[in-house]
């Protein structure tokens, strides 16, 4: 078969399952349980299909202007693309070059990072988490020379979040000539963003998504914020790959979503309240629950392998995620749904494992 050596060796990312055999309560891919803003629905209802005759704006100017206004930046400091996965992919291509040393990221984190390294031929080294499974940024500083750093804050699948002070210390002690990419996919659920650091650190790039707090995972829209030079590099990577990764409808809907901050603040508040209530209930059942600042929790119960919990819950019609690696094997990651979803899960766990 006419397959390249590259594709023969490639190990693709495996996304959370979407089985079609029955209706599941889906708590496995950190989707938002609430619908997008009514303004999004209105925009879809009144959209004139004539607009699809023409190519979209390759610079996504309207959307970038809105994002810049929201975060107190200039549009030249904002990049958007087809989901934050694609933004991340362009970051790996644009900033990390292992002729200058290895890329560093935590040993337990978003499992797409090693896949991008494989895809672009970037050598990497992982940095251990602390015994309590939180990120330990000191580990990044002892590993020079490196070609850059990427980490998710809050991290996944653990859900723990580092305070701004620790992130600041890392940036103060890391060479300004190497990029530090912080993946803030889950930051809106109570974490401290590194956004205030953008003015001080020219090597910092923050990546975000509309998939989680904006309830638009199906739309595929992600963005990055950083200095103009970094954003220009992302545009160069994009324009060498696809001129139009963000279609006309997505650009419009993204803008509409950004115009309804009160709605999104309300649903984010509800998810946070449900997470706290659910975490307490799990603790009450004797589970170990990591402190989460995300729309999911990472939990384990002594003596019961995570895989067994995952399988029993699947039989009961509830999907959660299990990561079969050394430090995560005992745990399951549970997306926070509505209160009634979490009550159902608590009942199932009480019945299955008490
Ligand atoms: N970063 C992290 C840490 C994630 O968990 C996810 C979701 N799988 C993404 C990025 C990608 O999100 P999306 O492509 O939907 O924007």
């Amino acid at each position: 078969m006419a397959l390249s050596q590259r594709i023969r060796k490639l190990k693709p990312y495996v996304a959370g399952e979407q089985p079609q055999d029955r209706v599941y309560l889906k708590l496995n891919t950190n989707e938002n349980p609430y619908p997008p803003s009514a303004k999004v629905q209105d925009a879809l209802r009144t959209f004139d299909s004539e607009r699809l005759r023409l190519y979209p704006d390759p610079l996504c100017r309207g959307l970038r202007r809105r994002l810049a206004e929201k975060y107190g930046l200039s549009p030249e400091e904002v990049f958007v693309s087809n989901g934050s996965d694609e933004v991340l992919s362009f970051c790996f291509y644009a900033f990390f070059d292992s002729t200058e040393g290895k890329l560093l990221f935590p040993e337990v984190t978003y499992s797409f990072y090693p896949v991008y390294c494989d895809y672009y031929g970037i050598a990497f080294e992982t940095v251990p988490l602390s015994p309590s499974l939180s990120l330990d940024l000191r580990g990044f500083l002892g590993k020079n020379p490196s070609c850059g750093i990427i980490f998710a804050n809050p991290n996944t699948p653990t859900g723990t979040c580092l305070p701004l002070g620790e992130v600041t210390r890392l940036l103060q002690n890391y060479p300004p000539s190497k990029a530090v990419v912080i993946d803030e996919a889950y930051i809106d659920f109570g974490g401290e963003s590194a956004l205030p650091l953008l003015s001080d650190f020219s090597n910092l790039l923050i990546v975000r998504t509309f998939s989680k707090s904006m309830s638009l995972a199906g739309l595929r829209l992600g963005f990055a914020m950083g200095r103009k030079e970094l954003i220009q590099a992302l545009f160069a990577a994009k324009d060498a790959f696809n001129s139009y990764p963000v279609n006309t409808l997505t650009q419009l809907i993204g803008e509409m979503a950004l115009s309804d901050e009160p709605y999104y603040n309300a649903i984010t508040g509800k998810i946070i309240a449900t997470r706290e209530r659910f975490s307490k209930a799990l603790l009450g059942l004797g589970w170990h629950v990591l402190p989460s600042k995300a729309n999911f929790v990472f939990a384990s119960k002594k003596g019961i392998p995570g895989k067994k919990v995952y399988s029993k819950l699947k039989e009961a019609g509830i999907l959660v995620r299990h990561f079969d690696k050394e430090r995560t094997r005992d745990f399951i990651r549970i997306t926070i749904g509505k209160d009634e979803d979490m009550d159902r899960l608590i009942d199932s766990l009480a019945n299955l494992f008490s």
Side-chain angles (χ1 to χ4, degrees), residues 13 15-16 29-30 81-88 109-113 116 151-156 183-186 207-212 216-218 220-223 296 321 333:
Y13 173 74
T29 47
N30 301 339
S81 209
N82 189 298
S84 63
D85 279 338
E86 191 174 80
V87 177
L88 288 167
T109 190
Y110 187 29
S111 44
F112 227 135
Y113 302 159
Y116 292 131
F151 63 95
N153 201 37
N155 195 20
T156 181
D183 180 349
E184 292 191 342
Y186 300 102
V207 177
R208 298 245 187 127
T209 179
F210 281 65
S211 297
K212 316 294 179 183
L216 289 168
R220 310 310 300 131
L221 186 58
F223 59 106
F296 56 85
R321 194 118 190 234
R333 192 191 69 187

Side-chain angles (χ1 to χ4, degrees), residues 108-110 129 132-135 152 154-161 289-294 296-299 323 327-328 331-333:
V108 175
T109 190
Y110 187 29
L129 297 186
S132 62
L133 292 183
S134 64
L135 291 181
N155 195 20
T156 181
T158 53
T160 60
C161 191
V289 186
L290 295 193
S292 170
K293 294 282 187 202
F296 56 85
V297 296
F298 204 47
F323 296 88
R327 291 204 71 186
T328 53
F331 289 78
I332 51 166
R333 192 191 69 187

Side-chain angles (χ1 to χ4, degrees), residues 111-122:
S111 44
F112 227 135
Y113 302 159
V115 176
Y116 292 131
C117 284
D118 188 21
Y119 195 86
Y120 292 119
I122 301 164

Side-chain angles (χ1 to χ4, degrees), residues 113 248 258 272 331:
Y113 302 159
T248 303
L258 290 169
I272 293 172
F331 289 78

Side-chain angles (χ1 to χ4, degrees), residues 82-204:
N82 189 298
S84 63
D85 279 338
E86 191 174 80
V87 177
L88 288 167
S89 168
F90 291 143
C91 289
F92 276 67
Y93 187 84
F95 306 131
F96 304 140
D97 187 347
S98 42
T99 55
E100 296 179 28
K102 291 180 180 171
L103 173 67
L104 304 177
F105 52 82
E107 64 168 323
V108 175
T109 190
Y110 187 29
S111 44
F112 227 135
Y113 302 159
V115 176
Y116 292 131
C117 284
D118 188 21
Y119 195 86
Y120 292 119
I122 301 164
F124 66 91
E125 188 171 339
T126 60
V127 172
L129 297 186
S130 75
S132 62
L133 292 183
S134 64
L135 291 181
D136 186 356
L137 295 184
R138 286 166 310 180
F140 287 110
L141 296 172
K143 298 246 185 237
N144 283 329
S146 56
C147 70
I149 291 174
I150 182 164
F151 63 95
N153 201 37
N155 195 20
T156 181
T158 53
T160 60
C161 191
L162 288 177
L164 191 56
E166 284 191 44
V167 177
T168 310
R169 227 165 299 130
L170 173 76
L171 284 154
Q172 281 167 341
N173 290 290
Y174 194 68
S177 57
K178 312 279 173 78
V180 175
V181 176
I182 306 184
D183 180 349
E184 292 191 342
Y186 300 102
I187 199 69
D188 291 333
F189 299 102
E192 248 185 309
S193 173
L195 205 60
L197 304 180
L198 282 180
S199 51
D200 285 338
F201 297 98
S202 59
N203 57 337
L204 171 63

